[in-house]
Amino acid sequence: MAKLNPFEIAGRQLSECAKILKLDSGVREILRIPMREFHISLPIRMDDGSVKVFQGFRVQYNDARGPTKGGIRFHPDETIDTVRALAAWMTWKCALLDLPLGGAKGGIICNPKQMSKGELERLSRAYINRVWQLIGPDRDIPAPDVYTNPQIMGWMMDEYSKIVGKNQFGVITGKPLSIGGSAGRGDATARGGMYTVREAAKECSVDLKEATVAIQGYGNAGYNAAYLAKTLFGSKIIAVSDSKGGIFSKEGIEPEVVHEYKAKTGSVINFPDAESISNEEILEIEVDILVPAALENVITEENAPNIKAKILAELANGPTTPEADDILCKNGVHVLPDFLCNAGGVTVSYFEMVQNFNMDYWDEKEVHERLNKKMTSAYDSVLNTSKEYSINMRQAAYVVAVERVVEAMELRGWI
Ligand code: GLU
């Protein structure tokens, strides 16, 4: 199958929504194209003395509702179209959660798994050296995404602060706690997702104590989803996977034990007392809740008919193609669309910015309560809109988000 282009998919999703909302063509055109994008080259001195030039991007999609916000991804398969799509989804995500922010995304084509700590630090600092004029606490605020982490955010914040000559904690979120990070940011993406799963379970009459869960991806989002589904709900995690493959156990796996095993061996594969399962098989197993928590376009028209889950919780960005969406909808799968389900990360990022600005830090309990409120109300507005317009959950999420962005554009006099 030809590789699917995420930006083309984001565009198709948006035009479906534009039809529902009967948006005029000028407005559609503004929403379809990023406001600004930057292509940068990053020459880095590698540990062996050679110089390697990496390619990076930052896309600021739409800032009608506030400064743009979105993570930076380090990945060998990164493309400008992936970054554009992710920036568009950030715009809808921030609007859906009613955060006073627009959407952006960044990325560097690199394989962080094959780089030393020193090389990664130099690459992170070089990225900020190239984009510092374009970002800022009231302009564009980066954060972690796939294969970037609090340490990388810490280096980037430090580099920016050095360049502007003062501490600017609010320039980036997802930082380590001791340098302006927020309590509760670490597991926020998964926790927010689990709050929406809790609401979805009520709607679908799924008893979470008895529910089985399969998770594709065992990074920050996937692991924490496994841990929280078990500890918050008592659900049974029967399968998990990472980029190398997966494991399955009818009796259920212990998320923390598998996490430790992965930290030691580099992967969940060959975990003792579990059967092997592929990344394709994991999506099709008999399970109540399926959580894609890795990359885009894994649920397609080919495997969607075989998905047996009652609830699909999209912790990854863009895991489902539009063709697959139609099939899931026909089959009655309750889809928690990505920019609803994984919005916990940016929501706590926003809390982090607020705490940085006020120099007043909240405890974890307060962060959880505020996150719970935000996620629950976003879920409710998507569910109600889906019932009101008789549209599926993704279309409903688009309707809520796009209406808010359009309202802001109108009020600012852009249209
Ligand atoms: N990268 C995360 C996302 O896709 C978090 C973004 C942020 O915290 O700004 O939502």
Side-chain angles (χ1 to χ4, degrees), residues 69-72 86 90 93 105 141-146 173 185 189 317 342-343 345-347 349-350:
K69 179 93 191 79
I72 300 172
L86 291 163
M90 283 310 303
K93 194 180 305 190
K105 205 79 176 197
I141 306 97
D145 197 76
V146 174
T173 59
R185 178 64 183 84
T189 305
N317 285 307
N342 70 30
V346 73
T347 301
S349 272
Y350 162 66

Coordinates of all heavy atoms in Angstrom, one line a residue, residues 69-72 86 90 93 105 141-146 173 185 189 317 342-343 345-347 349-350, ligand 1:
K69 N 1.0 26.3 19.9 CA 1.5 25.3 20.9 C 1.6 24.0 20.3 O 0.7 23.6 19.6 CB 0.6 25.3 22.1 CG 0.9 24.4 23.2 CD 1.7 25.1 24.3 CE 2.3 24.1 25.3 NZ 3.6 23.4 24.8
G70 N 2.7 23.3 20.6 CA 2.8 21.9 20.1 C 4.2 21.3 20.2 O 5.2 22.1 20.3
G71 N 4.3 20.0 20.2 CA 5.5 19.3 20.5 C 6.6 19.4 19.4 O 6.3 19.9 18.3
I72 N 7.7 18.8 19.8 CA 8.8 18.6 18.8 C 9.1 17.1 18.8 O 9.3 16.5 19.8 CB 10.1 19.4 19.2 CG1 9.8 20.9 19.3 CG2 11.2 19.1 18.2 CD1 11.0 21.7 19.9
L86 N 0.3 17.3 12.1 CA 0.3 17.3 13.6 C 0.1 18.8 14.1 O -0.6 18.9 15.1 CB 1.7 16.8 14.1 CG 1.9 15.3 13.9 CD1 3.4 15.0 14.0 CD2 1.1 14.5 14.9
M90 N -3.0 19.9 16.4 CA -2.8 20.7 17.7 C -3.7 21.9 17.7 O -4.2 22.3 18.8 CB -1.3 21.2 17.7 CG -0.3 20.2 18.2 SD -0.6 19.3 19.6 CE -0.8 20.5 20.9
K93 N -7.0 20.5 18.7 CA -6.9 20.0 20.1 C -7.0 21.1 21.1 O -7.8 21.0 22.1 CB -5.5 19.3 20.2 CG -5.4 18.4 21.4 CD -4.0 17.7 21.5 CE -3.6 17.0 20.3 NZ -2.3 16.2 20.4
K105 N 3.7 22.5 15.5 CA 4.4 21.3 15.7 C 5.8 21.5 15.1 O 6.0 22.3 14.2 CB 3.7 20.1 15.0 CG 4.1 18.8 15.6 CD 3.2 18.6 16.9 CE 3.4 17.3 17.5 NZ 2.3 17.0 18.4
I141 N 5.0 27.9 21.7 CA 5.6 27.2 22.9 C 5.7 25.7 22.6 O 4.7 25.0 22.6 CB 4.7 27.4 24.1 CG1 4.4 28.9 24.4 CG2 5.3 26.8 25.4 CD1 3.1 29.5 23.8
P142 N 6.9 25.3 22.3 CA 7.1 23.8 22.1 C 7.0 22.9 23.3 O 6.8 23.4 24.4 CB 8.6 23.7 21.5 CG 8.9 25.1 21.2 CD 8.2 26.0 22.1
A143 N 7.1 21.6 23.1 CA 6.8 20.6 24.2 C 7.4 19.3 23.7 O 7.8 19.2 22.5 CB 5.3 20.5 24.5
P144 N 7.3 18.3 24.5 CA 7.8 17.0 24.0 C 6.8 16.3 23.1 O 5.6 16.6 23.1 CB 7.9 16.1 25.3 CG 7.6 17.0 26.4 CD 6.9 18.2 25.9
D145 N 7.3 15.4 22.2 CA 6.4 14.5 21.4 C 7.2 13.2 21.3 O 8.0 12.9 22.2 CB 6.1 15.2 20.1 CG 5.0 14.6 19.3 OD1 3.8 14.8 19.7 OD2 5.2 13.8 18.4
V146 N 6.9 12.5 20.2 CA 7.6 11.1 20.1 C 9.1 11.3 20.2 O 9.7 12.1 19.5 CB 7.2 10.5 18.8 CG1 8.0 9.2 18.5 CG2 5.7 10.2 18.7
T173 N 7.2 23.6 27.4 CA 6.6 22.9 28.5 C 7.1 21.4 28.4 O 7.8 21.0 27.5 CB 5.1 22.9 28.4 OG1 4.7 22.4 27.1 CG2 4.6 24.3 28.6
R185 N 2.7 16.3 34.7 CA 2.9 16.4 33.3 C 3.3 15.1 32.7 O 3.0 14.7 31.6 CB 3.9 17.6 32.9 CG 4.2 17.7 31.4 CD 2.9 18.1 30.6 NE 3.1 18.2 29.2 CZ 3.0 17.2 28.3 NH1 2.8 16.0 28.7 NH2 3.1 17.4 27.0
T189 N -0.8 12.8 29.3 CA -1.4 12.3 28.0 C -2.3 11.1 28.3 O -3.4 11.0 27.9 CB -0.4 12.1 26.9 OG1 0.4 13.2 26.8 CG2 -1.0 11.7 25.6
N317 N -1.4 10.3 17.7 CA -2.0 11.3 16.8 C -2.2 10.6 15.5 O -1.3 10.0 14.9 CB -1.0 12.5 16.6 CG -1.0 13.4 17.8 OD1 -2.1 13.9 18.3 ND2 0.1 13.7 18.4
N342 N -6.0 12.3 23.4 CA -4.6 12.6 23.8 C -4.4 14.0 24.2 O -3.2 14.5 24.4 CB -3.6 12.1 22.8 CG -3.6 13.0 21.5 OD1 -3.8 14.1 21.5 ND2 -3.2 12.3 20.4
A343 N -5.4 14.8 24.5 CA -5.3 16.2 24.8 C -4.8 16.5 26.2 O -4.5 17.6 26.6 CB -6.6 16.9 24.5
G345 N -2.0 15.9 27.5 CA -0.6 16.3 27.5 C -0.6 17.9 27.3 O 0.0 18.6 28.1
V346 N -1.2 18.3 26.3 CA -1.2 19.8 26.1 C -2.0 20.5 27.1 O -1.6 21.7 27.5 CB -1.6 20.2 24.6 CG1 -3.1 20.1 24.4 CG2 -1.2 21.6 24.3
T347 N -3.0 19.9 27.7 CA -3.7 20.6 28.8 C -2.8 20.8 30.0 O -2.8 21.9 30.5 CB -5.0 19.8 29.1 OG1 -5.8 19.6 27.9 CG2 -5.8 20.4 30.2
S349 N 0.4 20.9 29.8 CA 1.4 21.9 29.3 C 0.9 23.3 29.5 O 1.6 24.2 29.9 CB 1.6 21.7 27.8 OG 2.6 20.7 27.6
Y350 N -0.4 23.5 29.2 CA -1.0 24.8 29.4 C -1.0 25.2 30.9 O -0.6 26.3 31.3 CB -2.4 24.8 28.9 CG -3.2 26.0 29.4 CD1 -2.9 27.3 29.1 CD2 -4.3 25.7 30.2 CE1 -3.7 28.3 29.6 CE2 -5.1 26.8 30.7 CZ -4.8 28.1 30.4 OH -5.5 29.1 30.9
Ligands
GLU1 N1 3.1 16.5 21.8 C1 1.9 16.5 22.6 C2 0.7 16.5 21.7 O1 0.7 16.0 20.6 C3 1.9 17.6 23.6 C4 2.0 19.0 23.1 C5 2.2 20.1 24.1 O2 2.2 19.7 25.3 O3 2.3 21.2 23.7 O4 -0.4 16.8 22.1

